């Protein structure tokens, strides 16, 4: 087969449907990555327009441009859009587009999940846009502090839009994060050990792990607050045993890591692009990896520094203040590595480099003001002033937007296969840089003079007039610059000047594909022996196109790729992906029915949504099955591998593992909330408590443990070709028994509207009940599989997946019942 024929064959197998329909059925990561990026920039523009409205209102005293109600909506939506609908999705989009290419493979681990996440993002984001167009946008600030956001002080539907819309969008973050983890660990080019991974993959891996552990507290908080608003369960209401500080803890448990979730991918862009711009390799690879892992750990311990003014004990203040300054260390490690890289190389001032310089200048200042606000006495002075807003923009804009622009200019030729035409970008950069610093330098200043954040007007006597005007003028210069970048990008896409391959002479595999990248990325997969495969072997793209790597001969209609061992990158299994399907968009629309039902309080829609999603999910996992044993496949280079369904750790197992990490974090936060209220909130313990029953406790725990045990037996049985149905029957019974005990607990407990104790316990019990239901579905699925002939000693991977979930049920379920029953004991 010659190069062109191979390309035709592969493209026929991998391409999306032609035209309009292709958008809705594509599961290809390049398509979805581009869609993610374009959508996130759409939201960036919307957020930017809102920022202009804010600055227009603050440009002069007593401005009548927007009244307080509208102003509250504007700044809330600005913060919300920038954080949730622009920054995180932009990272997801970049990672989804880039990772398989940079790792030398053909797609992400779960192509259909990528699409599902994308549509959840679109639908959830649209809810917030609709709210804004109706003038019903959320208005309690992007951190939604209670009691400001509770049913008494924010009685309209506005806040519900935020809680429900954002939770919907978060599904996409969790989905993308799980799939980024699995793709990086298991879907790499053969030979790529962990130490040979491109540095961007490390950043993406750590960021994704942080999303999995950082977003669940916010999701939990949103659920609790929504339940409080809709049904009156008093989690955050002080008079009924709740505590609004619980919201702050949950929010900042998410919010502080969020800053690093935004910064780390941007730093990953810098670490990738900078060495190429300097015609050298990155120095301190190992140090950087250590630094980002350290940063991830540290950042979870720091949420308290957002609450310095809430009356925290002195010892804790000292501890968190010291720890907050410590974060500067791993950041400094990275900055030194970058400086060293520039020192070693010969920097060339192309467009990406310009934005990297903008990043350096801005981010370092943001870091310095960060150290200032980490000091408790200074923090008390500037708390909730424009100084904080200015600091956070130095970090977010400097630490994210500049690197992202650098990345855009770096990878745009890859996406389009074209050259830039005019020199618009250079001019735009200087407008952005100057505009930014004028705007936010002025805001530091006016903050020190006492201007609070989130005020819609001030008086001339305050003496802030001139500074605010300067700030507003700067912000308009800034936005003209951004508009020019967008124009530059659009002109670039239209330009007809094709580039040669690898215009920057980079060493990573993303530049070994054709540009624009074909639907299958690589005609055959490389064997990697170093961190810069392309620098070692400039002919690699040609030999890959000739099919000299792995999987060079397209077979049947299979979308084939390889799965490797986590540490060594040794090829381990042969993967066949599902093809284009509209299932993801349909499933996310049905998920939307669930969320809309909650939002509009039309509760009859909620069960429809749940049942619909469950049915579609069963269909989703059903269609990948097969009734014959897949033989070992020759994948080229003399290597023969088993199919993934014939392994114990199929992609689904790995995906489940990371979803369970997120799930366990959510559960942990729920237990934390219960303990927090019990020890801190006034009015505890409540007068009326749950009456414990050791029989229910024992039976329920036995059910949960029995399920896990039975599934292990079933796994052993399937492997040894023995009958599995008896063990599956036991597992099903166990799950039902456990579920019944949870239901009884919910039934017998004091009314959850009376006290935060019963309210929290109710959520715990529902969590148990939900997982029991999940287990029933999963075992039911296995039983159906067995009876329909989809399972054999070779095709057994689904058993391992369900067994993993059953293990989780055993642990979390037992804890639910233990906490529930023991909390009723009066000693
Ligand atoms: C395009 C240039 C931008 C300008 C001119 C701008 C301007 C502003 C201003 C003036 C405020 C204060 C509102 C108030 O206190 O009343 C604000 C708040 C905020 N901005 Fe920006 N911003 C920009 C970009 C960004 C970006 C890129 C992000 C994040 C990635 C961001 C995140 C936030 C957040 C989280 C808040 C706090 C909202 C709240 O307090 O509820 N901004 N912005
Ligand atoms: Cu923080």
């Amino acid at each position: 087969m010659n190069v062109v024929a191979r390309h035709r064959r592969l493209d026929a197998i991998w391409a999306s449907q032609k035209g309009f329909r292709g958008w809705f059925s594509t599961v290809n990561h390049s398509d979805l990555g581009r869609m993610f990026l374009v959508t996130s920039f759409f939201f960036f523009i919307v957020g930017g327009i809102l920022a202009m409205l804010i600055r227009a209102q603050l440009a002069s005293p007593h401005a009548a441009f927007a009244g307080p109600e509208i102003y509250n909506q504007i700044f809330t939506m600005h913060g919300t859009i920038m954080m949730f609908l622009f920054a995180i999705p932009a990272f997801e989009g970049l990672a989804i587009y880039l990772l398989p290419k940079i790792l030398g493979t053909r797609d992400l681990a779960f192509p259909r999940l990528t699409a599902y996440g994308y549509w959840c993002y679109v639908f959830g984001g649209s809810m917030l846009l609709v709210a804004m167009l109706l003038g019903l946008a959320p208005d309690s600030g992007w951190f939604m502090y209670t009691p400001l956001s509770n049913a008494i002080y924010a009685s309209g539907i506005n806040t519900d839009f935020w809680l429900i819309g954002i939770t919907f969008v978060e599904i996409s973050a969790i989905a993308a994060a799980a799939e980024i983890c699995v793709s990086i660990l298991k879907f790499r080019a053969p030979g790529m050990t962990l130490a040979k991974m491109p540095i961007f993959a490390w950043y993406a891996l750590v960021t994704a792990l942080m999303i999995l552990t950082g977003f669940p507290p916010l999701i939990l908080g949103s659920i609790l607050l929504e339940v409080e608003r809709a049904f009156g369960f008093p989690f955050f209401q002080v008079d009924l045993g709740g505590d609004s500080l619980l919201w702050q803890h949950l929010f900042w448990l998410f919010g502080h890591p969020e800053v690093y979730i935004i910064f780390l991918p941007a730093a990953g862009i810098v670490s990738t692009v900078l060495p190429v711009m300097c015609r050298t390799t990155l120095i301190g690879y190992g140090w950087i990896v250590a630094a980002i892992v350290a940063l991830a750990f540290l950042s979870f311990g720091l949420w308290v520094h957002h609450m310095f003014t809430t009356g925290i004990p002195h010892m804790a203040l000292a501890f968190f203040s010291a720890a907050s300054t410590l974060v500067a260390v791993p950041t400094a490690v990275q900055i030194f590595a970058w400086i060293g890289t520039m020192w070693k190389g010969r920097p060339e001032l192309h467009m990406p480099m310009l934005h990297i310089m903008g990043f350096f200048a801005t981010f370092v200042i943001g870091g310095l003001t960060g150290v200032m606000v980490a000091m408790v006495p200074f923090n008390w002075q500037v708390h909730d002033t424009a100084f904080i807003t200015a600091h956070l923009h130095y970090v977010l804009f400097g630490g994210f937007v500049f690197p992202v622009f650098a990345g855009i200019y770096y990878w745009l030729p890859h996406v389009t296969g074209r050259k830039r035409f005019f020199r618009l970008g250079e001019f735009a950069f200087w407008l952005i840089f100057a505009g930014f610093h004028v705007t936010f330098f002025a805001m530091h200043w006016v903050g020190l003079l006492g201007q609070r954040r989130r005020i819609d007007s001030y008086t001339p006597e305050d003496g802030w007039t001139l500074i605010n005007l300067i700030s507003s003028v700067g912000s308009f210069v800034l936005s003209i610059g951004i508009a020019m970048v967008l124009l530059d990008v659009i002109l670039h896409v239209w330009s007809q000047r094709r580039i040669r391959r690898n215009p920057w002479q980079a060493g990573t595999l993303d530049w070994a594909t054709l540009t624009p990248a074909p639907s299958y990325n690589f005609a055959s997969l490389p064997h990697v022996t170093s961190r810069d495969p392309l620098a070692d072997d400039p002919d690699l793209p040609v030999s890959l196109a000739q099919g000299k790597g792995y999987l060079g001969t397209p077979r049947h209609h299979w979308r084939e790729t390889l799965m490797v061992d986590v540490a060594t990158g040794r090829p381990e299994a042969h993967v066949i992906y599902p093809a284009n399907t509209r299932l993801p968009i349909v499933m996310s629309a049905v998920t939307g029915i669930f969320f809309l039902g909650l939002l509009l309080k039309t509760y009859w829609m909620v069960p429809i949504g749940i049942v619909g999603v469950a049915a579609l999910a069963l269909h989703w996992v059903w269609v990948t099955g097969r009734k014959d044993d897949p033989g070992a496949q020759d994948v080229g280079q003399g290597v023969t591998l088993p199919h993934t369904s014939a392994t114990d750790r199929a992609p689904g197992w790995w995906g489940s593992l990371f979803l369970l990490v997120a799930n366990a974090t959510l559960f942990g936060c729920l237990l934390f909330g219960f303990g927090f209220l019990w020890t801190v909130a006034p009015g505890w313990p409540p007068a009326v408590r749950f009456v414990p029953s050791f029989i229910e406790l024992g039976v329920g725990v036995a059910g949960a443990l029995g399920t896990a045990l039975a599934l292990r037996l079933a796994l052993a049985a399937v492997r040894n070709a023995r009958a599995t149905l008896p063990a599956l029957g036991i597992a099903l019974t166990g799950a039902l028994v456990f579920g019944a005990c949870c239901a009884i607990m919910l039934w017998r407990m004091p009314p959850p509207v009376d006290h935060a104790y019963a309210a929290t316990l109710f959520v715990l019990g529902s969590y148990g009940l939900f997982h029991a239901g999940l287990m029933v579905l999963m075992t039911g699925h296995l039983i159906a599989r067995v009876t329909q002939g989809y399972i054999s000693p070779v095709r057994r991977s689904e058993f391992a997946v369900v067994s993993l979930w059953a293990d989780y049920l055993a642990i979390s379920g037992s804890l639910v019942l233990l906490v529930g029953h023991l909390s009723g004991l009066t000693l």
Side-chain angles (χ1 to χ4, degrees):
M1 200 182 281
N2 71 15
V3 173
V4 178
R6 175 174 298 103
H7 168 78
R8 288 232 180 87
R9 274 281 290 163
L10 280 167
D11 199 53
I13 293 175
W14 286 84
S16 307
Q17 275 180 294
K18 291 266 167 309
F20 189 62
R21 295 166 137 214
W23 293 76
F24 303 106
S25 61
T26 181
V27 292
N28 182 283
H29 79 97
S30 294
D31 288 346
L32 288 162
R34 281 190 295 253
M35 285 152 78
F36 247 113
L37 282 167
V38 169
T39 314
S40 71
F41 273 89
F42 166 76
F43 280 114
F44 181 53
I45 295 171
V46 177
I49 293 173
L50 293 173
M52 293 307 101
L53 296 181
I54 296 175
R55 283 306 341 162
Q57 169 70 14
L58 293 179
S60 58
H62 293 312
F65 186 75
E69 282 88 33
I70 296 295
Y71 187 79
N72 289 349
Q73 297 189 13
I74 293 176
F75 74 69
T76 302
M77 285 304 285
H78 165 71
T80 302
I81 287 180
M82 289 297 192
M83 301 300 267
F84 296 106
L85 302 178
F86 162 60
I88 299 293
F91 158 64
E92 288 159 20
L94 180 66
I96 286 171
Y97 177 80
L98 194 62
L99 276 176
K101 300 183 174 67
I102 213 167
L103 296 170
T105 182
R106 282 178 176 155
D107 207 329
L108 292 165
F110 308 107
R112 293 178 303 174
L113 189 64
T114 328
Y116 176 67
Y118 174 73
W119 293 111
C120 286
Y121 163 45
V122 170
F123 292 148
S126 311
M127 279 189 180
L128 285 159
L129 283 186
V130 169
M132 209 157 62
L133 294 178
L134 296 178
L136 293 173
D139 53 4
S140 320
W142 88 284
F143 28 81
M144 284 288 144
Y145 277 177
T146 58
L148 266 184
S149 56
N150 74 12
I152 300 162
Y153 295 101
S155 52
I157 196 176
N158 309 43
T159 303
D160 303 304
F161 268 114
W162 194 95
L163 295 170
I164 290 169
I166 292 298
T167 305
F168 197 1
V169 172
E170 299 311 52
I171 295 179
S172 76
I174 298 282
E179 114 163 306
I180 287 169
C181 290
V182 180
S183 302
I184 293 175
L185 294 178
K186 298 299 289 179
F187 288 72
R188 305 192 300 259
M192 189 184 276
T193 62
L194 283 182
K196 288 188 190 121
M197 271 192 339
I199 191 76
F200 184 81
W202 276 108
Y203 282 98
L205 178 63
V206 173
T207 309
L209 284 170
M210 288 182 74
I211 290 180
L212 290 178
T213 45
F215 278 33
L218 178 70
I219 296 177
L220 175 68
S222 304
I223 295 173
L224 296 186
L225 184 51
E226 185 52 35
V227 170
E228 173 176 306
R229 292 173 54 86
F231 306 113
F233 289 22
F235 301 104
F236 307 107
Q237 258 159 271
V238 180
D239 46 341
L240 293 176
D243 191 343
S244 40
L245 277 187
L246 175 62
W247 171 266
Q248 291 203 23
H249 277 294
L250 289 176
F251 185 87
W252 287 114
L253 263 172
F254 144 81
H256 185 76
E258 161 89 343
V259 178
Y260 294 87
I261 292 171
I262 291 177
F263 168 62
L264 278 181
I269 296 176
V270 174
S271 287
T272 306
V273 176
L274 182 75
V276 180
M277 291 299 121
C278 298
R279 317 238 57 81
T280 179
T281 51
L282 185 67
I283 69 167
Y285 178 90
W287 283 96
I288 292 189
V289 173
I292 54 190
V293 173
L295 206 60
F297 275 103
L298 273 178
S299 76
F300 277 97
L302 295 186
W303 82 99
V304 177
H305 68 206
H306 297 265
M307 301 166 66
F308 277 164
T309 54
T310 58
I312 307 250
H314 270 96
M315 269 304 287
L317 282 183
F319 172 79
F320 284 106
S321 171
S324 301
T325 9
L326 208 64
V327 174
V329 177
T331 313
V333 169
Q334 288 182 78
I335 292 183
F336 283 128
W338 291 328
I339 293 177
T341 305
M342 284 196 280
W343 199 272
K344 189 175 89 174
R346 286 174 286 117
E348 290 173 8
L349 212 57
H350 300 293
M351 265 319 292
M353 191 64 184
L354 219 49
H355 279 284
I356 289 181
M357 301 317 293
F359 153 73
F360 275 142
T362 314
F363 186 73
V364 167
I365 299 177
L368 293 179
T369 51
V371 174
M372 288 165 77
V373 292
M375 303 296 143
V376 175
F378 186 80
N379 190 291
W380 279 342
Q381 290 304 312
V382 296
H383 177 73
D384 261 346
T385 66
F387 188 92
I388 297 290
T389 318
H391 154 70
L392 80 90
H393 283 84
Y394 265 78
V395 176
L396 288 172
F397 198 103
F400 188 74
V401 179
F402 278 119
V404 162
F405 281 172
I408 288 179
Y409 278 110
Y410 180 73
W411 278 296
L412 205 56
H414 191 284
V415 177
T416 62
R418 309 219 187 297
K419 248 188 204 158
R420 222 150 50 88
F421 202 59
F422 297 113
R423 308 242 130 227
L424 210 56
E426 281 78 356
F427 187 54
F429 166 78
W430 288 110
L431 289 184
I432 295 175
F433 188 79
F436 176 87
H437 282 272
V438 169
T439 308
F440 292 102
F441 181 78
M443 276 172 64
H444 279 120
W445 184 10
V446 81
L448 287 177
L449 293 181
Q451 178 170 325
R452 276 165 300 127
R453 66 194 292 191
R454 302 163 162 189
I455 50 168
D456 65 306
S457 80
Y458 51 92
T459 62
E461 294 77 55
D462 288 323
W464 306 329
T465 310
L466 181 65
I467 313 177
N468 270 306
L469 183 65
I470 293 174
S471 173
S472 294
V473 171
S475 76
F476 279 90
V477 174
L478 164 61
S479 45
I480 293 169
I482 292 177
M484 282 172 65
V485 170
L486 294 173
L487 189 64
D488 199 25
V489 170
I490 292 169
L491 288 174
H492 173 125
V493 173
W494 274 349
S495 103
Q496 288 306 319
R497 294 174 44 188
R498 303 209 129 259
I499 47 150
R500 62 192 155 91
R501 199 198 289 258
N502 198 359
W504 307 110
Q505 306 286 303
T508 43
L509 284 172
D510 41 340
W511 296 99
T513 69
L514 293 170
T515 41
S519 50
Y520 50 85
N521 287 342
F522 302 96
S524 64
L525 301 182
H527 190 97
V528 171
T529 50
S530 82
R531 222 174 275 152
D532 295 288
L534 217 52
D536 303 339
D537 176 10
D539 293 329
L540 188 66
V542 179
S543 64
L544 291 182
Q546 287 168 342
K548 291 189 181 150
Y550 297 90
L551 295 173
T553 329
R555 281 177 287 192
H556 311 286
H557 225 73
W558 287 349
R559 298 188 174 187
E560 295 173 283
T561 195
L562 296 176
M563 217 162 98
V564 298
D565 176 68
V566 170
T568 61
R570 188 173 36 77
E572 207 177 59
H574 173 238
V575 182
I576 304 175
Y577 285 126
N580 296 330
T581 161
R582 242 168 283 161
L583 199 53
I585 187 173
V586 174
M587 184 147 134
S588 82
V590 177
T591 315
I593 294 182
F594 167 79
F595 283 113
L596 264 183
L598 291 178
L599 179 65
L600 304 176
K601 308 218 184 313
T602 43
Y603 292 115
W604 55 268
M605 282 163 72
V606 175
I608 296 181
I610 295 177
V611 172
V613 169
L616 287 166
L618 287 176
H619 178 65
W620 180 295
V621 287
W622 188 265
V623 291
T624 52
R626 49 196 291 173
K627 290 192 172 182
D628 57 321
D629 281 346
Q633 294 290 331
D634 173 12
V635 297
Q637 313 266 19
V639 178
T640 311
L641 296 176
H643 182 253
T644 47
S645 69
T647 57
D648 280 333
R649 310 239 151 129
W653 188 90
W654 287 96
S656 297
L657 183 69
F658 288 104
L659 287 183
L660 285 174
V661 168
N663 191 344
T665 313
L666 183 114
F667 184 60
C669 291
L670 186 55
L671 292 180
F672 161 80
F674 194 56
F676 175 81
L677 290 179
W678 194 299
T679 43
V680 173
W684 283 68
V688 191
R689 279 199 259 165
F690 178 59
V691 184
S693 145
F694 285 99
I695 298 177
E696 287 167 29
L697 174 62
V699 172
V701 170
L705 296 180
T707 304
L709 197 67
L711 268 160
R712 292 188 169 220
L713 291 178
L715 183 59
V718 75
R719 208 179 270 139
N720 301 321
R722 290 199 309 267
T724 53
L725 285 181
L728 289 179
I730 299 175
L732 192 62
T733 317
L736 288 171
V737 168
F738 166 72
C741 291
C742 290
I744 295 173
M745 181 169 127
L746 294 179
W747 177 254
R748 293 206 297 109
M749 119 186 351
V753 286
D754 286 359
H755 194 276
Y757 162 79
T760 331
L761 215 56
F762 190 89
V763 177
L764 268 172
S766 312
Y767 182 88
L769 195 59
F770 174 76
H771 282 78
L774 214 57
M775 202 66 237
V776 169
L777 282 183
M778 286 181 167
T779 358
H781 170 80
L782 284 187
I783 293 174
R785 283 293 220 205
V786 171
T787 49
Q788 301 288 313
Y790 281 94
I791 301 292
S792 80
V794 174
R795 285 166 281 135
R796 58 169 193 270
S797 60
E798 290 181 339
F799 276 74
V801 175
V802 180
S803 177
L804 185 64
W805 283 86
D807 289 348
Y808 181 74
L809 178 80
I811 299 169
S812 64
S814 305
L815 277 172
V816 164
L817 291 176
L818 269 174
V819 170
H821 287 270
L822 294 189
S823 74
L825 287 183
T826 32
L827 298 174

